[in-house]
């Protein structure tokens, strides 16, 4: 349920109303906009007398929200959420470029890639330390050591680091990571989501291979309902009957998610297509349809990459792409 307050309501009266609502066992999500404050009521609102609340002199309107996702619902928070990571911002008109290798392999590799993506204009460095691989015989990542190497790359370049967490038990290793990624395969690992909700770290939540937008939003809701509102949604392609591409990039998800939710939405054209030469056109399309950022795989030696070399851009290709992304952003301003 949403309670929109009249503009210019006294803080004391607002607090009284909030205390009264909390006394009914509800959680209150407060969104302070430029024009008015909106209270999102979370919990069992069935017994709430909407007419009574509407009759209060500080209340403008009361509406029931039918969707099951509340905290991430744009109705609860009409303005775009802006998530700040170091000097980078995502959402509300702030575009963020995350780039780096699929996996952290060596100190030389991650530092070289970090320097080149930074020089090209990236705002954050990605790199997997814990890798969810289809085959147990494939490279599984450097794990804790990979995180240490990412930190070295951050020290060298100043870029915040983004890396995937697969298990709650690894959480202590991520205490100095800037953005924790929940990969497609873990989008519905509810224990993990709930635990990440107890941290104050920005969470990059990827859409599952065969998950609907509502399911993605419900997963964001798990994190937010546990107290962490710093969630970035990521469309990374879904399983369809596409044959020549790794996945199907559902770009229409971007404007729809942004309509339904106030959270920033970014796109991963690398995992969506699986082919390096398909990455630039889809990155530009994602930019054009309103994504708040991109996460792109870049490797200094893609042919010898331990993971996802076929979809990784070389640094010079990434640099060229960034110029075009900026041109598209300018065009759609
Ligand atoms: C990744 O970003 O390295 C990754 C494994 O992505 P996804 O979870 O989208 O497959
Ligand atoms: Mn990858």
């Amino acid at each position: 349920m949403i309670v929109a307050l009249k503009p210019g309501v006294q803080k004391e009266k607002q607090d009284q109303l909030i205390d009264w609502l909390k006394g009914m066992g509800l959680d209150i999500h407060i969104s302070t906009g430029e024009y008015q404050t909106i209270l999102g009521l979370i919990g069992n609102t069935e017994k709430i007398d909407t007419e009574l609340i509407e009759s209060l002199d500080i209340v403008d309107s009361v509406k029931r929200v039918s969707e099951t996702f509340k905290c991430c619902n744009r109705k609860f928070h009409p303005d775009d959420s802006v998530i700040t990571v170091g000097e980078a911002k995502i959402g509300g008109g702030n575009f963020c470029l995350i780039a780096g290798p699929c996996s952290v392999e060596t100190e030389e590799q991650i530092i070289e890639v970090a320097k080149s993506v930074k020089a090209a204009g990236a705002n954050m460095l990605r790199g997997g330390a814990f890798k969810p691989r289809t085959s147990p015989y494939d490279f599984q990542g450097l794990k804790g050591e990979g995180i240490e190497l990412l930190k070295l790359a951050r020290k060298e370049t100043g870029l915040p680091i983004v890396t995937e967490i697969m298990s709650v038990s690894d959480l202590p290793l991520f205490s100095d990571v800037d953005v924790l990624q929940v990969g497609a395969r873990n989008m519905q690992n509810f224990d993990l989501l709930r635990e990440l909700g107890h941290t104050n770290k920005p969470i990059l939540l990827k859409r599952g291979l065969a998950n609907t937008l509502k399911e993605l939003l419900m997963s964001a809701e798990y994190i937010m309902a546990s107290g962490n509102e710093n969630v970035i949604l990521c469309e990374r392609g879904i399983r369809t009957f596409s044959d020549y591409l790794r996945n199907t990039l559902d770009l229409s998800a971007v404007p729809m998610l942004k309509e339904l939710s106030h959270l920033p939405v970014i796109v991963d054209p690398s995992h969506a297509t699986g082919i390096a030469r398909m990455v630039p056109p889809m990155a530009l399309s994602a930019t054009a349809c309103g994504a708040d950022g991109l996460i792109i795989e870049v490797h200094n030696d893609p042919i010898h990459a331990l993971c996802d070399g076929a979809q990784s851009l070389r640094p010079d290709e990434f640099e060229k792409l960034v110029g075009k992304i900026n041109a598209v952003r300018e065009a759609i301003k």
Side-chain angles (χ1 to χ4, degrees):
M1 185 183 285
I2 288 173
V3 177
L5 302 184
K6 286 184 182 154
V9 162
Q10 274 179 353
K11 171 99 177 55
E12 199 188 329
K13 287 199 167 179
Q14 179 178 316
D15 289 346
Q16 274 173 3
L17 174 60
I18 291 171
D19 286 345
W20 179 60
L21 292 167
K22 280 187 179 166
M24 291 192 252
L26 299 171
D27 277 335
I28 314 297
H29 181 282
I30 306 165
S31 169
T32 313
E34 229 170 84
Y35 177 68
Q36 65 180 168
T37 298
I38 291 183
L39 306 181
L41 279 47
I42 302 158
N44 185 0
T45 55
E46 256 159 48
K47 293 205 179 90
I48 302 268
D49 182 347
T50 49
E51 282 171 13
L52 173 64
I53 297 178
E54 211 152 24
S55 71
L56 300 173
D57 62 348
I58 63 166
V59 172
D60 186 22
S61 62
V62 180
K63 252 187 268 164
R64 288 202 181 270
V65 176
S66 49
E67 290 93 351
T68 40
F69 52 93
K70 312 284 182 195
C71 301
C72 64
N73 200 313
R74 192 174 280 280
K75 289 178 187 157
F76 272 36
H77 189 294
D79 296 332
D80 287 348
S81 276
V82 179
I83 295 177
T84 304
V85 186
E87 285 175 14
K89 282 190 193 305
I90 314 179
N94 302 284
F95 192 85
C96 183
L97 265 178
I98 306 169
C102 179
S103 317
V104 181
E105 297 170 6
T106 62
E107 181 176 335
E108 295 69 34
Q109 173 242 18
I110 193 65
I111 289 185
E112 191 181 327
V113 177
K115 283 182 175 165
S116 59
V117 297
K118 164 134 190 194
N123 312 98
M124 291 196 221
L125 174 69
R126 65 150 286 148
F130 290 85
K131 294 304 305 174
R133 303 304 300 276
T134 303
S135 164
Y137 308 117
D138 286 340
F139 176 58
Q140 305 287 307
L142 298 180
K143 307 201 163 71
E145 189 195 336
I147 294 183
E148 292 309 311
L149 295 180
L150 282 167
K151 288 192 215 166
L152 277 184
R154 175 176 62 193
K155 206 167 159 205
E156 282 282 326
T157 60
L159 290 178
I161 51 178
V162 182
T163 194
E164 177 166 354
I165 181 161
M166 287 166 50
S167 163
V168 172
S169 60
D170 296 326
L171 197 52
L173 293 171
F174 287 72
S175 62
D176 198 18
V177 167
D178 300 294
V179 177
L180 276 58
Q181 175 175 320
V182 175
R185 289 153 192 83
N186 268 312
M187 190 202 88
Q188 289 190 311
N189 181 340
F190 301 120
D191 285 344
L192 177 62
L193 299 175
R194 218 182 278 113
E195 210 52 49
L196 294 177
H198 295 135
T199 74
N200 57 3
K201 300 271 187 195
I203 309 297
L204 170 50
L205 177 64
K206 289 187 143 197
R207 181 179 181 182
L209 276 67
N211 285 111
T212 63
L213 299 185
K214 195 186 278 177
E215 286 163 347
L216 172 61
L217 291 169
M218 289 313 295
S219 290
E221 194 73 15
Y222 261 93
I223 300 168
M224 298 176 84
S226 301
N228 183 356
E229 303 208 331
N230 298 311
V231 180
I232 303 157
L233 303 173
C234 179
E235 166 59 42
R236 46 76 74 206
I238 47 171
R239 278 277 165 88
T240 64
F241 41 82
S242 168
D243 44 8
Y244 291 102
L245 293 143
R246 187 170 176 180
N247 290 293
T248 298
L249 181 53
D250 178 11
L251 280 183
S252 53
V254 176
M256 183 50 87
L257 285 171
K258 288 174 69 81
E259 190 175 299
L260 294 167
S261 172
H262 54 88
L263 296 175
V265 181
I266 69 166
V267 169
D268 176 345
S270 307
H271 292 88
T273 62
I275 303 168
R277 65 179 186 284
M278 298 294 137
V279 171
M282 298 324 290
L284 297 176
S285 310
T287 308
C289 76
D292 296 296
L294 296 163
I295 178 165
I296 297 178
E297 287 190 341
V298 178
H299 198 287
N300 53 343
D301 184 10
I303 293 171
H304 297 108
L306 295 182
C307 184
D308 285 350
Q311 67 193 34
S312 299
L313 297 183
R314 290 192 318 267
D316 60 310
E317 294 170 324
F318 177 68
E319 191 183 355
K320 216 183 284 166
L321 174 59
V322 174
K324 293 185 183 173
I325 290 167
N326 289 336
V328 170
R329 289 187 57 213
E330 202 53 44
I332 60 167
K333 247 185 195 166

